[in-house]
Amino acid sequence: MPETLSQSLSPAGAPSGSSVADNLAAVKDAMRRAIAHHGVDQPLPTVVAVSKRHPVERIVPLLDAGHRVFGENQVQEAQDKWPALKERFADVSLHLLGPLQSNKVADAVALFDVIESLDREKIARRLRDQMVAQGRKPRLFVQVNTGEEPQKSGVLPGDLADFIRLCREDLKLDIDGLMCIPPVEEDAAVHFAFLKELARRHGLARLSMGMSGDYPVAAAVGTDYVRVGTAIFGARPRA
Ligand SMILES: *Cc1c(COP(=O)(O)O)cnc(C)c1O
């Protein structure tokens, strides 16, 4: 039986003792190998370095090494860490990956450059209002619950067409792309291919998929962003 994408591609770990910059280089190498191994003509994805729960001292070395794209999953935590870093490193692009509460929308619009977790009408409406009020336009991704897991955020695939129509036509929001987090126990490649097909169907240009456990698979399927935390920064400290 031919091996599946997921079986053939094991991600790089984050060996303790290696620097975060070395770990990032290893992540990029693993993606290059995955793309070459499958003979697919995919561009190298941009790595969103997921720094959630890691202190500023862990983040600065990666900024010093020249990396500029980072992800956080809580607005409050990002507000504590990133305004000062953004002053020092002006060209940082900060992605919000976690669920957005309506009382945090104004702060999120003020701080983030990309919001990857849009999945509700109420939040879409507040985003529109805040983007107009602040004159800021973070790029928006719709999170899709490809595994239809009850506990997980994201628009259900069957509701996606209506949600995108609401965003585009009623709210005049530009949607950049789609994001997903596949169910842990399933073949990620199947979910990545599904997300890619949904994006194509809706005329969306970009994808965000792949985490420490499956980013080489996402790179081989083809994605604009992978969101990698543990493989770069090591295990997260407890919240
Ligand atoms: C934490 C998180 C990641 C990174 O997870 P790792 O397994 O540590 O790479 C990626 N995406 C989202 C939405 C996350 O919350």
Side-chain angles (χ1 to χ4, degrees):
M1 219 174 76
E3 58 183 0
T4 66
L5 270 178
S6 299
Q7 283 162 347
S8 68
L9 303 172
S10 55
S16 54
S18 58
S19 74
V20 288
D22 288 346
N23 294 342
L24 174 63
V27 164
K28 290 184 188 172
D29 275 348
M31 294 198 294
R32 281 192 201 96
R33 283 198 306 275
I35 290 167
H37 179 79
H38 286 275
V40 285
D41 187 21
Q42 303 293 358
L44 192 68
T46 297
V47 177
V48 180
V50 182
S51 50
K52 66 186 184 200
R53 305 220 302 270
H54 289 289
V56 167
E57 311 83 77
R58 285 291 279 163
I59 302 172
V60 169
L62 205 54
L63 286 159
D64 281 335
H67 191 70
R68 289 295 180 269
V69 186
F70 289 82
E72 291 282 344
N73 76 335
Q74 280 188 11
V75 176
Q76 179 65 57
E77 182 186 341
Q79 280 183 305
D80 292 340
K81 285 153 62 176
W82 282 96
L85 291 174
K86 277 190 146 195
E87 277 193 21
R88 270 175 74 190
F89 303 92
D91 49 349
V92 158
S93 177
L94 193 60
H95 292 225
L96 177 64
L97 309 176
L100 185 50
Q101 312 301 326
S102 48
N103 63 346
K104 296 286 186 191
V105 170
D107 293 335
V109 168
L111 181 62
F112 287 93
D113 303 286
V114 183
I115 293 174
E116 295 202 18
S117 48
L118 174 57
D119 70 349
R120 282 185 290 150
E121 174 171 348
K122 184 178 175 190
I123 298 300
R125 290 187 184 280
R126 294 228 174 172
L127 278 170
R128 191 268 320 266
D129 293 347
Q130 281 302 320
M131 285 163 71
V132 170
Q134 298 184 32
R136 262 186 66 84
K137 265 188 112 180
R139 296 198 287 115
L140 303 176
F141 282 64
V142 172
Q143 182 175 350
V144 185
N145 185 355
T146 57
E148 309 200 18
E149 296 172 281
Q151 81 286 5
K152 201 166 262 176
S153 314
V155 178
L156 293 172
D159 297 336
L160 186 60
D162 282 344
F163 186 69
I164 289 177
R165 194 175 315 116
L166 169 92
C167 291
R168 280 178 170 160
E169 291 173 22
D170 298 357
L171 304 178
K172 312 292 180 216
L173 286 172
D174 290 331
I175 303 297
D176 241 46
L178 300 178
M179 181 269 248
C180 77
I181 308 172
V184 279
E185 69 287 357
E186 292 182 23
D187 182 354
V190 172
H191 290 268
F192 295 158
F194 180 44
L195 194 72
K196 190 172 183 175
E197 167 55 21
L198 288 173
R200 192 199 58 76
R201 221 181 274 168
H202 293 288
L204 294 166
R206 291 176 196 280
L207 294 170
S208 171
M209 56 195 198
M211 304 171 37
S212 289
D214 52 24
Y215 67 84
V217 179
V221 173
T223 183
D224 298 276
Y225 296 109
V226 291
R227 309 176 309 269
V228 181
T230 310
I232 296 171
F233 295 106
R236 280 181 280 279
R238 290 185 183 282

